[in-house]
Structure formats: C-alpha cells, structure tokens
Amino acid sequence: MKTGMIDASRIEAMISQLKAAATRPENGVKGIHDEVAGGEPAAKVDFASALKASLDQVNGAQKRSEDMTKRFVLGDDSVNLSDVMINSQKASIAFQATVQVRNKLVSAYHDIMNMQV
C-alpha cells in the first residue's frame, strides 16, 4: 500500500464498527433519567445552577483574555500575539452566545406573558 492511497480493508473495518455501534440500544448513551454506573439515579440538573455555571465560564474566559492581554502589553515574553488574539476571540464568541441565549429567554418570557388564558 502506498502512503497516499486509501486502504479499502480499513474502510470496510470502520464501516462494520459504525454499523455495530448503530445497532446497539441507544448507542450506549444514558439519558437524564437513567441510572449512572454506581446504580444510583442520575442527578437532576437545576436550570438556575446550569445558567450560573455557563455565566461563570464566560466570565472566566473574559478574565483570562484580559489577563493575557495585559501581560502581552506589559511585554511578557511567554505570551505571543496569536495566543492573545485567539483567547480574545474565544471570549468574544462566548459572550455573543450568552447574549443570544439571553435574547431568546427574554423573547420566550414575552411570548408567555402575552398568552391569553
């Protein structure tokens, strides 16, 4: 086999593995109401705690980005411009996603409040 060629036997083996995985019940993924490996029921997720955890992650990304930017501006040799820009973009995207989620929640709230009972 040449290095640039695709081995047909490897492709067939991968296809058979995918078919075997697809025929397993629920693909081995446990749902929210399923039990975890220890036999105890899975913990229920509270919306408020999940939202707070997400906001904390976004806040942490923004703080890391700001810290890295300050270190770069002060001349820290361990920080390069590409890392600063990548972290800045990650924080920006996370914040934009958070704003979009907030907008959807506000829109849903207004829709519910305008429903006639």
PDB file of all heavy atoms in Angstrom, residues 2 15-16 22 31 36 38 46 48 54-55 59 67 90 95 97 117:
ATOM      1  N   LYS A   2       0.551   2.220  -0.819  1.00  0.00           N
ATOM      2  CA  LYS A   2       1.279   3.483  -0.853  1.00  0.00           C
ATOM      3  C   LYS A   2       0.738   4.401   0.242  1.00  0.00           C
ATOM      4  O   LYS A   2      -0.406   4.290   0.650  1.00  0.00           O
ATOM      5  CB  LYS A   2       1.110   4.145  -2.223  1.00  0.00           C
ATOM      6  CG  LYS A   2       1.732   3.351  -3.351  1.00  0.00           C
ATOM      7  CD  LYS A   2       1.547   4.078  -4.651  1.00  0.00           C
ATOM      8  CE  LYS A   2       2.141   3.275  -5.787  1.00  0.00           C
ATOM      9  NZ  LYS A   2       1.915   3.901  -7.068  1.00  0.00           N
ATOM     10  N   ILE A  15     -16.504   0.814   8.643  1.00  0.00           N
ATOM     11  CA  ILE A  15     -17.940   0.756   8.353  1.00  0.00           C
ATOM     12  C   ILE A  15     -18.611  -0.306   9.206  1.00  0.00           C
ATOM     13  O   ILE A  15     -19.699  -0.092   9.749  1.00  0.00           O
ATOM     14  CB  ILE A  15     -18.179   0.520   6.849  1.00  0.00           C
ATOM     15  CG1 ILE A  15     -17.788   1.770   6.060  1.00  0.00           C
ATOM     16  CG2 ILE A  15     -19.629   0.136   6.571  1.00  0.00           C
ATOM     17  CD1 ILE A  15     -17.834   1.596   4.561  1.00  0.00           C
ATOM     18  N   SER A  16     -17.960  -1.455   9.370  1.00  0.00           N
ATOM     19  CA  SER A  16     -18.549  -2.505  10.203  1.00  0.00           C
ATOM     20  C   SER A  16     -18.613  -2.070  11.666  1.00  0.00           C
ATOM     21  O   SER A  16     -19.576  -2.388  12.363  1.00  0.00           O
ATOM     22  CB  SER A  16     -17.766  -3.814  10.047  1.00  0.00           C
ATOM     23  OG  SER A  16     -16.467  -3.679  10.554  1.00  0.00           O
ATOM     24  N   ALA A  22     -24.244   1.375  15.691  1.00  0.00           N
ATOM     25  CA  ALA A  22     -25.595   1.868  15.414  1.00  0.00           C
ATOM     26  C   ALA A  22     -26.654   0.872  15.843  1.00  0.00           C
ATOM     27  O   ALA A  22     -27.774   1.255  16.167  1.00  0.00           O
ATOM     28  CB  ALA A  22     -25.735   2.174  13.927  1.00  0.00           C
ATOM     29  N   GLY A  31     -29.586   8.463  29.295  1.00  0.00           N
ATOM     30  CA  GLY A  31     -30.396   9.659  29.308  1.00  0.00           C
ATOM     31  C   GLY A  31     -30.361  10.321  30.670  1.00  0.00           C
ATOM     32  O   GLY A  31     -29.708   9.862  31.609  1.00  0.00           O
ATOM     33  N   VAL A  36     -26.777   6.006  36.772  1.00  0.00           N
ATOM     34  CA  VAL A  36     -25.350   6.060  36.497  1.00  0.00           C
ATOM     35  C   VAL A  36     -24.729   4.713  36.837  1.00  0.00           C
ATOM     36  O   VAL A  36     -25.383   3.823  37.369  1.00  0.00           O
ATOM     37  CB  VAL A  36     -24.659   7.205  37.277  1.00  0.00           C
ATOM     38  CG1 VAL A  36     -25.129   8.547  36.774  1.00  0.00           C
ATOM     39  CG2 VAL A  36     -24.925   7.087  38.761  1.00  0.00           C
ATOM     40  N   GLY A  38     -22.918   3.493  39.153  1.00  0.00           N
ATOM     41  CA  GLY A  38     -22.966   3.010  40.524  1.00  0.00           C
ATOM     42  C   GLY A  38     -24.322   2.490  40.946  1.00  0.00           C
ATOM     43  O   GLY A  38     -24.492   2.016  42.055  1.00  0.00           O
ATOM     44  N   ASP A  46     -30.485  21.524  37.722  1.00  0.00           N
ATOM     45  CA  ASP A  46     -31.285  22.700  38.021  1.00  0.00           C
ATOM     46  C   ASP A  46     -30.959  23.769  36.980  1.00  0.00           C
ATOM     47  O   ASP A  46     -29.785  24.025  36.690  1.00  0.00           O
ATOM     48  CB  ASP A  46     -30.962  23.186  39.429  1.00  0.00           C
ATOM     49  CG  ASP A  46     -31.777  24.387  39.836  1.00  0.00           C
ATOM     50  OD1 ASP A  46     -32.909  24.529  39.342  1.00  0.00           O
ATOM     51  OD2 ASP A  46     -31.290  25.173  40.661  1.00  0.00           O
ATOM     52  N   ALA A  48     -31.238  27.019  37.043  1.00  0.00           N
ATOM     53  CA  ALA A  48     -30.520  28.175  37.588  1.00  0.00           C
ATOM     54  C   ALA A  48     -29.044  27.859  37.786  1.00  0.00           C
ATOM     55  O   ALA A  48     -28.179  28.681  37.458  1.00  0.00           O
ATOM     56  CB  ALA A  48     -31.147  28.609  38.908  1.00  0.00           C
ATOM     57  N   SER A  54     -22.698  28.376  33.322  1.00  0.00           N
ATOM     58  CA  SER A  54     -22.368  28.893  31.990  1.00  0.00           C
ATOM     59  C   SER A  54     -21.881  30.336  32.061  1.00  0.00           C
ATOM     60  O   SER A  54     -20.902  30.696  31.402  1.00  0.00           O
ATOM     61  CB  SER A  54     -23.590  28.818  31.073  1.00  0.00           C
ATOM     62  OG  SER A  54     -23.970  27.495  30.873  1.00  0.00           O
ATOM     63  N   LEU A  55     -22.547  31.141  32.859  1.00  0.00           N
ATOM     64  CA  LEU A  55     -22.119  32.537  33.014  1.00  0.00           C
ATOM     65  C   LEU A  55     -20.744  32.628  33.668  1.00  0.00           C
ATOM     66  O   LEU A  55     -19.929  33.478  33.286  1.00  0.00           O
ATOM     67  CB  LEU A  55     -23.148  33.320  33.821  1.00  0.00           C
ATOM     68  CG  LEU A  55     -24.490  33.546  33.128  1.00  0.00           C
ATOM     69  CD1 LEU A  55     -25.473  34.223  34.086  1.00  0.00           C
ATOM     70  CD2 LEU A  55     -24.331  34.352  31.873  1.00  0.00           C
ATOM     71  N   ASN A  59     -17.465  34.381  32.071  1.00  0.00           N
ATOM     72  CA  ASN A  59     -16.722  35.364  32.864  1.00  0.00           C
ATOM     73  C   ASN A  59     -15.257  34.953  32.998  1.00  0.00           C
ATOM     74  O   ASN A  59     -14.357  35.783  32.880  1.00  0.00           O
ATOM     75  CB  ASN A  59     -17.365  35.521  34.236  1.00  0.00           C
ATOM     76  CG  ASN A  59     -16.747  36.639  35.036  1.00  0.00           C
ATOM     77  OD1 ASN A  59     -16.341  37.656  34.486  1.00  0.00           O
ATOM     78  ND2 ASN A  59     -16.678  36.446  36.343  1.00  0.00           N
ATOM     79  N   ASP A  67      -6.414  39.176  31.202  1.00  0.00           N
ATOM     80  CA  ASP A  67      -5.126  38.965  31.862  1.00  0.00           C
ATOM     81  C   ASP A  67      -4.024  38.733  30.833  1.00  0.00           C
ATOM     82  O   ASP A  67      -2.936  39.301  30.936  1.00  0.00           O
ATOM     83  CB  ASP A  67      -5.222  37.774  32.813  1.00  0.00           C
ATOM     84  CG  ASP A  67      -3.912  37.494  33.502  1.00  0.00           C
ATOM     85  OD1 ASP A  67      -3.358  38.434  34.107  1.00  0.00           O
ATOM     86  OD2 ASP A  67      -3.440  36.338  33.435  1.00  0.00           O
ATOM     87  N   LYS A  90     -12.192  33.839  21.517  1.00  0.00           N
ATOM     88  CA  LYS A  90     -12.965  32.851  22.274  1.00  0.00           C
ATOM     89  C   LYS A  90     -13.881  33.532  23.275  1.00  0.00           C
ATOM     90  O   LYS A  90     -15.058  33.178  23.406  1.00  0.00           O
ATOM     91  CB  LYS A  90     -12.028  31.888  23.000  1.00  0.00           C
ATOM     92  CG  LYS A  90     -11.394  30.843  22.126  1.00  0.00           C
ATOM     93  CD  LYS A  90     -10.510  29.938  22.970  1.00  0.00           C
ATOM     94  CE  LYS A  90      -9.819  28.882  22.142  1.00  0.00           C
ATOM     95  NZ  LYS A  90      -8.956  28.018  22.976  1.00  0.00           N
ATOM     96  N   PHE A  95     -19.269  35.361  24.824  1.00  0.00           N
ATOM     97  CA  PHE A  95     -20.145  36.449  25.261  1.00  0.00           C
ATOM     98  C   PHE A  95     -21.301  36.655  24.283  1.00  0.00           C
ATOM     99  O   PHE A  95     -22.443  36.835  24.696  1.00  0.00           O
ATOM    100  CB  PHE A  95     -19.355  37.744  25.426  1.00  0.00           C
ATOM    101  CG  PHE A  95     -20.191  38.889  25.905  1.00  0.00           C
ATOM    102  CD1 PHE A  95     -20.640  38.920  27.212  1.00  0.00           C
ATOM    103  CD2 PHE A  95     -20.547  39.912  25.052  1.00  0.00           C
ATOM    104  CE1 PHE A  95     -21.433  39.971  27.665  1.00  0.00           C
ATOM    105  CE2 PHE A  95     -21.328  40.965  25.489  1.00  0.00           C
ATOM    106  CZ  PHE A  95     -21.778  40.991  26.799  1.00  0.00           C
ATOM    107  N   ALA A  97     -22.640  34.428  22.337  1.00  0.00           N
ATOM    108  CA  ALA A  97     -23.566  33.308  22.510  1.00  0.00           C
ATOM    109  C   ALA A  97     -24.428  33.514  23.747  1.00  0.00           C
ATOM    110  O   ALA A  97     -25.635  33.235  23.726  1.00  0.00           O
ATOM    111  CB  ALA A  97     -22.793  32.001  22.610  1.00  0.00           C
ATOM    112  N   VAL A 117     -55.129  33.494  28.600  1.00  0.00           N
ATOM    113  CA  VAL A 117     -55.507  32.304  29.375  1.00  0.00           C
ATOM    114  C   VAL A 117     -56.993  32.120  29.351  1.00  0.00           C
ATOM    115  O   VAL A 117     -57.786  32.949  29.326  1.00  0.00           O
ATOM    116  CB  VAL A 117     -55.013  32.430  30.834  1.00  0.00           C
ATOM    117  CG1 VAL A 117     -55.402  31.221  31.647  1.00  0.00           C
ATOM    118  CG2 VAL A 117     -53.511  32.617  30.837  1.00  0.00           C
TER     119      VAL A 117
END
